[in-house]
Each structure stands twice: as structure tokens, then as C-alpha cells.
Amino acid sequence: MGLKSKVLIIGATGYLGKRLVNASLQQGHETYVLRRPEIGVDIEKIQMLLSFKKQGAHLVTGSFSDHRSLVEALKQVDVVICAVSGVHIRSHQILLQLKLVDAIKEAGNIKRFLPSEFGTDPARMADALEPGRVTFDDKMVVRKAIEDAGIPFTYVSANCFAGYMVGGLCQPGHILPSRESVLLLGDGNKKSIFVDEDDIAAYTIRTINDPRTCNKTVYIRPSENILSQREVVELWEKLIGKQLEKSSLSEQDFINIMRGQGYAEQVGLTHYYHVFYEGCLTNFEIGDDAEEACALYPDIKYTKVADYLKQYL
Ligand code: NDP
């Protein structure tokens, strides 16, 4: 598995962060985890941090409100991966990373920084709708700060987290598949890309000291998981041995419904719109200036959507 690094993971107790810690340990890197004093008496987080320590991670104290503490934490490592929150229905803290960029600049020893991206490539979303474009705009602000500072980076574009999208058969507000019915977004034929979150973590960790991924975007496009909503539904129907009742939501009706929702919900729905009505994840070829993770690391056996769905039986 090549060179080993000292990796600091920030946002380690999060949905993706905890998987990054596990993957980093599994791939044999010396793994450091930021413990923010602000978590206070959050017993779940404390116990998760202690479980990381038990598995061999080092806990380092540091806060986004204490520049010096971040610099000191960074001085102990070579690589930084940030998985701070960026989903409005949970929490959205993407711009906090500007403080991290300042600390990385001062520390001066970081060989690779992977900011909290892990979704749609924000560089392709300049025309995204309000209000959901805030996710892409904020991630682009962070990219600019990284590039202005000359920090070596890798941006991981992970497409759709399977847990959010496959589980709910691509329907907003659903996270478990129905055995009765499904609402198709438009004709349900736009292709999307679904990736198991543990696989995202495994691919991400593989990039960290790979010279081919330095200063590049790495897209994760498992070929068998490039599917339309209809195809995801068909895989589920095959598993349960039954056809679901199907209805369809037109693009205009989707937008009208979206406009009646609260801010956080509208942000999320904007993302569904671009993925399932526009096909924003698959309407471009990966150019020579970027890489594709499954091609770079063919030895990683990714989870296929058909297998992912079996957990819901
Ligand atoms: P979470 O909401 O799980 O939060 C991650 C961590 O961020 C938290 O555990 C915490 O870590 C840290 N954090 C939260 N609030 C604060 C705060 N106020 N100050 C400092 N740190 C804070 O994040 P996700 O795992 O859901 O998201 C990670 C990335 O993945 C984001 O960039 C997001 O946009 C992307 N994403 C992509 C999806 C897709 O389908 N492609 C779906 C979901 C997310 P700690 O307490 O340990 O410091």
C-alpha cells in the first residue's frame, strides 16, 4: 500500500469523518484526530474519540477558535483531511476551513490538504440554483484560499453518498426504500453515481500520498454504480420480487414544491434537482486535468448498488 503518512483528520466524529479515521488506520497511516474542546460533555463524541484511540489513533486538541492550537496540531502531521459538516439539514461549517488554511500556511509543513468536499464538483456548479448553490460557492471560496496559499491539495468529488440516495430510492425526505411505491423525479432516467461511504473513505485515503492526485480533483465513479433513479428502483424491485407503484414529479412541480420549504430543506432539494433533473454528475467527461479513483485504485472492491440495497431487505 505504498508510503505511509501522518494524517490529521478534522471533523472525525462526523458521518464521513469516522469512516476516514477507520480507513486511514486500516491503510496503516499514523492517524491523528482533532479533539475540539467545544464538544464539551458530548458523551457520544467522547466515546467515539476514545474508540479511535483504542484502535491506534492519536488524539490532538485543537479548536477553530484558537489559531495556535491548530498550528501546533498541524505541525505533528504531513497530511490534513477535513470532513467538517456541509449539509444544511445537519450543519454547514464549510467556511470555518478558512481558519484551517491560515493555520496550514503558518505551519508550513503540510504536504497535502483535502478539504471538506466529497460531493458534486463545485467548480462545475457556477450556474446552480439558489439557495443550494451556497454549498458550492462556499467550497469554491475555500478552494481559492488553498490555491492562493500554494497549499498542495486533492479535491475528492464523491458524487452521491449511498446512504442518503440509494436508501431512499433517490426521493428527497426518504432514507429507507418503500415496498409499495416510489416517486420518480421527472422521467427517472437521468444518470447519477452512487458510492458507499466506506468506499469513499477508502479511495480518499489512497489519494493522500499519490503523486498522480496532487493538485487535482479525483472523481469517484464506480462504473456499475452509474445508474438512473429508475435503474436503482429496478434493482430494489428485483430484490423484493415485486413492482412498485410509480408516479412522477415534473421539473416545474419539483421547483414549486421546493420554493415552499424552509431554507435548509431548499438547499438540499436544490442538490436533488441538479443531480436528478439536470444530470450534473454525469453530463461531463473527466479531462486530463483530473483523475478517476476506480481507475487509479482498481484493487479496491467497491460495493455495488445491488448489494448495498440488500441491507434494507
Ligand atoms: P457532519 O454533519 O457529520 O459533521 C462532520 C463534523 O464536522 C462533526 O462531526 C464535527 O466534528 C464537525 N463540526 C460540526 N459542526 C462544527 C462546528 N460548529 N465547528 C467545528 N466543527 C464542527 O458532516 P458530513 O460527514 O455529513 O459531511 C462531510 C462532507 O461531506 C461535507 O463537505 C458535505 O458537504 C459532504 N457530504 C456529501 C454528501 C453527498 O451525497 N455527496 C452527503 C453528505 C455530506 P468534530 O466534533 O469531531 O470536530
Side-chain angles (χ1 to χ4, degrees), residues 13-16 36 45 85-86 90 116 118 139 159 161:
T13 64
Y15 182 67
L16 185 63
R36 292 183 303 117
K45 286 197 186 224
S85 55
R90 287 163 66 78
S116 191
F118 309 110
K139 287 181 178 179
N159 296 304
F161 284 16

Side-chain angles (χ1 to χ4, degrees), residues 9-18 33-36 38-39 42 45 49 52 64 82-87 90-94 96-97 115-120 135 139 158-162 164-165 197 200 271:
I9 298 179
I10 297 177
T13 64
Y15 182 67
L16 185 63
K18 60 177 178 258
V33 165
L34 193 76
R35 183 187 71 79
R36 292 183 303 117
E38 290 84 356
I39 67 175
D42 185 333
K45 286 197 186 224
L49 292 172
F52 294 150
F64 282 98
C82 185
V84 77
S85 55
V87 175
R90 287 163 66 78
S91 158
H92 176 81
Q93 303 292 339
I94 294 299
L96 266 186
Q97 294 178 104
S116 191
E117 290 250 345
F118 309 110
T120 305
T135 309
K139 287 181 178 179
N159 296 304
C160 292
F161 284 16
Y164 281 98
M165 300 294 188
E197 292 82 342
I200 294 173
H271 299 172

Side-chain angles (χ1 to χ4, degrees), residues 118-131:
F118 309 110
T120 305
D121 180 359
R124 296 186 174 275
M125 300 307 291
D127 298 323
L129 294 183
E130 295 285 1

Side-chain angles (χ1 to χ4, degrees), residues 128-245:
L129 294 183
E130 295 285 1
R133 59 171 304 131
V134 64
T135 309
F136 312 123
D137 290 346
D138 284 2
K139 287 181 178 179
M140 288 305 286
V141 168
V142 174
R143 282 191 182 194
K144 184 169 184 315
I146 294 168
E147 290 168 32
D148 286 351
I151 297 165
F153 63 84
T154 300
Y155 303 140
V156 176
S157 176
N159 296 304
C160 292
F161 284 16
Y164 281 98
M165 300 294 188
V166 173
L169 301 176
C170 315
Q171 302 162 103
H174 293 254
I175 210 129
L176 290 170
S178 163
R179 288 169 182 261
E180 307 302 326
S181 61
V182 64
L183 179 65
L184 295 173
L185 303 181
D187 59 13
N189 287 329
K190 280 278 187 286
K191 293 275 188 186
S192 177
I193 306 172
F194 306 94
V195 194
D196 179 312
E197 292 82 342
D198 290 322
D199 295 338
I200 294 173
Y203 285 119
T204 299
I205 299 296
R206 286 295 285 276
T207 70
I208 62 177
N209 49 26
D210 185 341
R212 297 171 297 177
T213 62
C214 190
N215 294 339
K216 283 195 178 159
T217 296
V218 175
Y219 298 92
I220 308 179
R221 281 189 170 184
S223 56
E224 297 201 41
N225 289 356
I226 303 177
L227 301 168
S228 67
Q229 183 186 14
R230 266 187 199 276
E231 288 169 327
V232 173
V233 171
E234 276 163 21
L235 290 170
W236 176 238
E237 288 175 332
K238 208 165 149 194
L239 282 175
I240 62 171
K242 184 185 166 196
Q243 300 277 302
L244 300 188
E245 205 177 290

